[in-house]
Amino acid sequence: MAMQSGFIKRIRDIMRMDAGINGDAQRIEQMVWMLFLKVYDAKEDDWELNEDNYTSIIPDECRWRNWAQADDNGHAMTGDKLLNFVNNTLFPTLKELPVTPDTPVKKAIVKSTFEDANNYMKDGVYLRQVIDIIDEIEFDDVKESHAFGFVYEEILRDLQAAGSSGEFYTPRAVTDFMALMIQPKLGEKMADFACGTGGFITSWLGQLQKQVKDTAAQKQFDDSIYGIEKKPFPYLLCVTNMLLHDIEVPNIYHMNSLKHNLLDYTDDDKYDVILMNPPYGGHEDKSIQSFFPEDLASSETADLFMSVIMYRLKKNGRAAVVVPNGFLSGTDNAKVAIKTKLLTDFNLHTIIRLPESVFSPYTSIATNLMFFDNSKPTEETWFYRLDIPSDRKHFSKTKPMELKHFNDCIIWWNDRKPIDLEDGPKAKKYTRDYLINEQGCNIDLCGYPQEEIEVLSPVDTVQIFKETVNSLVSNINQSTSSIMEMLVGECNSKANHSLSKACNKLVGLAGEFPERLKASILQYAIQGKLVEQRPEEGTAEELYELIQEEKQKLIKAGKLKKEKPFEEISAEEIPFDIPESWKWVRIGDIYAITMGQSPDGKSVSKDIDGMEFHQGKIFFGEDYLKESDQKTNEPTKIADPLSVLLCVRAPVGIVNITERQICIGRGLCALKPLAGMSEKYALYSLRYLKSDFVKKATGTTFVAITGDVVKNQLIPLPPIKEQQRIVAKIEEILPYCNQEG
């Protein structure tokens, strides 16, 4: 049967009705363990056909063909019977399969794959429906098997967008570029010690496949990979990925690469090529550091993996590694030791700087690609800055990076020349001596011009803050040590200057951090990442229809002006991806907007309830309210209780909520939530959008934005209950940003 279109959507729609599935990450995990069993069953068909006396490690009753598929009469388990079988027979059996050191890898992977897998579904009827969809795929059909590769890519893209699970996915364009530049050769073995879902391995195999011409070459191809993954879910995905790529004996192991003494590695533990994106932003248990030499014993995972890579790269071997900006710029003791070893013991020949949005929407942390080999010490290192293509402002889930965006870089790679632009060098080489002695191993060079401070995710913001603090504290410790040594004589002026500089930076950083963290929390909230989505709460599309109904009632009652329809939102206007259950709208389409107008007579104004708007005057009192009604006959000056007030004139973008009915001046506009929407969600959304409003402001004496600018501004709309949960989470976190002492 040919695979039907909308495979993922069909499964997603069914799972949304099951009370046991909570969020995309669980949905994907649920789908993948079933896919694994389906794929493995297809592989066992091949092994039974081609091998003498093949015996499955899975007991007959637990093989996919015997419980998931219908019998000859068309009957299949469903409902409570199916749920009971999966929970009380299938999972316990697969988790306890008899595996010994002599068990072939292709059999042992079943137990290791299910060790930490879970069945989340609670409705046996829905579970049956999902199984039926998965069982439609015929993996012995070449065309259908090839088509499923695109389905698998969609699963990975969904995974990337599913919160923290996205750490297991590196964009295909990046893995393909790195594999292309590393130039695989038959007979070589490549390794990825944090292989996630197998993206680098897949790209390596894609390049190597071109060289397979006979059965001997096929054997070299099959034996060319080695992967380790610590976390159970990406390990499950990776093994499934390898089976889909006809790697029948996947050398993929479920363990922690960092739990091995670095000095115990022998030549047998080393590889010709290492391709990987080490987990960054995380920390390992203190005990892990005992496996590393003291000078390399960092608390950060990216640092530790860099040491593992260096100790496990063969003589004349090649490596390509993704590292965050913090690794390039960091000058704490461990990072300096790691980078010094890299530059003196290895040939770090190329660093490609990547735009911040390459890994969007998972993280906005800027990343880099480091290429080095184990042939000789570094003589010089080339830096190349890859810029965003001219047809877009950033990469996103709907407009991801593609391999073609590396074309200029590939041309430059093969004919290296310095490139100088108005905003700084795009390509330039530096000597090892300069990088170590002049830069102190801060190799954050040929970077991107920073026109404004970028807002990162809350986790990334905290991580960069911690990395910067550690680096500054390290500088302070070094300076104070120098000063202590010289106390018997004159104080060293250079050490004293370094101490003062580092201390000032630390104070400045401490002052900036709370505001940056607040900004990142708001950004995470408005992008739909702060709380999970719940199918039972409905969709923004349903809410949007209710809002339009209420607006029509207000128009008929004469309480709201009828305006011409807003322009349809184009793909180019959308600044970032939002959850499927949300909707991009224009502010004027979902709020009743009142533009202020100062009353006649004395320009008397007062700040109330702690609201300070400067030019955006608030007038209140019986006289002003009556005057507004009598003179205009239209509610153009009145803001109802619980309206959100936005300052549209000097200064632009300040937002607050009024608890009472007030008359507003011409520097303000009021947004009244409709259909039960949360006024506080509007408040926090508008605070996040302040920079957009400021950019659109015009004027000389006073900068201002017009009502049309406000009404046409894009804003993400979540369902009402999710709005409430977002507000609750924001207000739970923000007080910690304001704590002192």
Side-chain angles (χ1 to χ4, degrees), residues 466-477:
K466 290 168 71 174
E467 288 179 2
T468 309
V469 167
N470 289 340
S471 178
L472 290 171
V473 169
S474 175
N475 291 342
I476 291 170
N477 288 339

Side-chain angles (χ1 to χ4, degrees), residues 523-572:
Q523 175 171 280
Y524 229 50
I526 304 311
Q527 291 183 353
K529 301 175 184 177
L530 194 62
V531 301
E532 78 281 3
Q533 282 70 54
R534 296 176 181 173
E536 67 270 19
E537 293 179 351
T539 66
E541 188 66 49
E542 295 166 346
L543 171 59
Y544 181 77
E545 292 175 5
L546 293 175
I547 294 170
Q548 300 314 305
E549 289 176 10
E550 184 171 340
K551 286 187 77 172
Q552 289 305 313
K553 291 178 182 177
L554 291 172
I555 291 170
K556 286 182 180 179
K559 296 181 179 179
L560 193 64
K561 281 185 178 180
K562 184 175 182 179
E563 297 181 327
K564 64 179 182 180
F566 291 95
E567 288 186 13
E568 188 174 333
I569 297 171
S570 65
E572 289 71 26

